[in-house]
């Protein structure tokens, strides 16, 4: 029930195309869904995050779509660029606003390559 | 520095030896996490410290793994009697916690452990 399943494992997209990465979770108590971006040799960094009270969040070329009933969420990268080539991780956690937060459970990652 | 600092960045050890990995979180961050990243396995949660609360050790893979956080700041992950399957990148992250915070994790660049 703690798993976050991510697909695809790898993705090749042409420059200017749309990259789509999907994630599914099982624990209905999860209430925070971030996406992290990781470049080789670096630690992951937060890209964008969503909470289940909205179905979509957009920041620049990056959009999260969230389907609470299906327990799925996805990352869309519009107008993909070679600089977007990285590994992307979805994650989920149950946040307790009383002061503590649960640990962040990550998917296995998607290696995105954007071809020029 | 302003970010999460980890040392050593690379460690090569022989099977059966003990290793210690160090993490300096961002000043003022009360939550600290250790994750393990193996090739193709995503980010595996190991342990989570939050303030003065008892740590969440639910992700530690065996009793050869332990971690401590002294004075609510620096953390050390210790692996005893290392095995070849312990070879991975060990990532530390810290975050602010509590009401009104975003839950964003700030990662270090990791310590790459190779067990021969």
């Amino acid at each position: 029930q703690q798993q976050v399943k991510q697909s695809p494992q790898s993705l090749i997209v042409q420059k200017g195309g749309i990259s789509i990465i999907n994630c599914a979770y099982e624990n209905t108590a999860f209430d925070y869904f971030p996406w992290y971006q990781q470049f080789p040799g670096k630690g992951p960094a937060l890209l964008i995050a969503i909470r289940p009270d909205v179905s979509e969040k957009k920041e620049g070329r990056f959009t999260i779509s969230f389907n609470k009933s299906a327990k799925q969420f996805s990352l869309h990268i519009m107008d993909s660029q070679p600089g977007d080539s990285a590994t992307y991780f979805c994650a989920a956690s149950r946040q307790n606003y009383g002061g503590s937060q649960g640990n962040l459970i990550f998917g296995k990652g998607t290696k995105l390559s954007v071809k020029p | 520095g302003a970010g999460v600092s980890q040392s050593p960045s690379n460690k090569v050890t022989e099977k059966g030896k003990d290793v210690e990995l160090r993490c300096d979180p961002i000043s003022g961050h009360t939550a600290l996490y250790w994750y393990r990243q193996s090739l193709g396995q995503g980010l595996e949660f190991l342990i989570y410290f939050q303030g003065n609360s008892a740590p969440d050790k639910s992700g530690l893979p065996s009793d050869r793994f332990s971690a401590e956080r002294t004075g609510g700041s620096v953390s050390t992950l210790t692996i005893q009697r290392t095995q070849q399957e312990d070879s991975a990148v060990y990532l530390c992250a810290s975050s602010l916690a509590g009401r009104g915070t975003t839950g964003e994790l700030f990662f270090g660049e990791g310590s790459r452990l190779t067990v021969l």
Side-chain angles (χ1 to χ4, degrees):
Chain A
Q1 212 183 19
Q2 290 293 330
Q3 282 188 322
V4 176
K5 296 181 180 179
Q6 182 172 349
S7 63
Q9 190 173 0
S10 63
L11 182 61
I12 300 174
V13 173
Q14 289 295 124
K15 179 182 175 181
I18 302 174
S19 304
I20 302 175
I21 305 171
N22 300 299
C23 280
Y25 63 97
E26 298 171 353
N27 189 342
T28 55
F30 287 150
D31 57 7
Y32 174 65
F33 304 91
W35 285 89
Y36 279 75
Q37 179 188 55
Q38 184 180 31
F39 293 105
K42 302 293 185 182
L46 179 66
L47 184 64
I48 186 172
I50 197 169
R51 299 189 190 280
D53 52 343
V54 296
S55 60
E56 185 175 283
K57 182 174 181 180
K58 183 176 181 179
E59 290 184 1
R61 296 184 295 108
F62 301 91
T63 299
I64 299 180
S65 296
F66 183 78
N67 186 330
K68 187 174 181 178
S69 61
K71 293 186 285 186
Q72 295 176 347
F73 58 109
S74 60
L75 175 69
H76 295 233
I77 306 175
M78 312 299 287
D79 187 26
S80 299
Q81 299 297 312
D84 297 331
S85 298
T87 299
Y88 293 80
F89 293 95
C90 63
S93 74
R94 180 175 183 273
Q95 292 204 318
N96 179 345
Y97 290 101
S100 65
Q101 65 186 48
N103 70 72
L104 205 52
I105 306 298
F106 285 87
K108 289 186 182 288
T110 296
K111 186 174 182 179
L112 171 66
S113 296
V114 181
K115 300 299 184 185
Chain B
V4 176
S5 178
Q6 292 189 245
S7 61
S9 55
N10 278 286
K11 176 72 176 179
V12 180
T13 191
E14 294 179 347
K15 178 181 174 181
K17 300 285 189 181
D18 297 352
V19 297
E20 287 188 350
L21 307 176
R22 176 187 167 103
C23 174
D24 269 292
I26 293 173
S27 177
H29 280 191
T30 56
L32 186 146
Y33 304 74
W34 283 98
Y35 285 86
R36 178 167 70 175
Q37 186 170 26
S38 305
L39 194 62
Q41 295 301 311
L43 293 163
E44 177 188 7
F45 167 75
L46 297 177
I47 188 169
Y48 160 56
F49 296 90
Q50 169 53 44
N52 295 321
S53 302
D56 177 355
K57 304 179 181 180
S58 61
L60 294 178
S62 78
D63 58 8
R64 296 186 296 105
F65 288 73
S66 63
E68 63 177 20
R69 189 178 185 191
T70 54
S73 181
V74 172
S75 177
T76 302
L77 177 69
T78 301
I79 308 173
Q80 296 178 310
R81 304 181 303 281
T82 52
Q83 303 295 312
Q84 289 183 331
E85 60 262 29
D86 299 335
S87 296
V89 176
Y90 290 83
L91 289 161
C92 176
S94 69
S95 75
L96 288 170
R99 190 176 296 277
T101 61
T102 64
E104 179 177 358
L105 265 62
F106 293 83
F107 282 86
E109 295 194 343
S111 293
R112 179 176 295 278
L113 175 65
T114 302
V115 182
L116 301 178

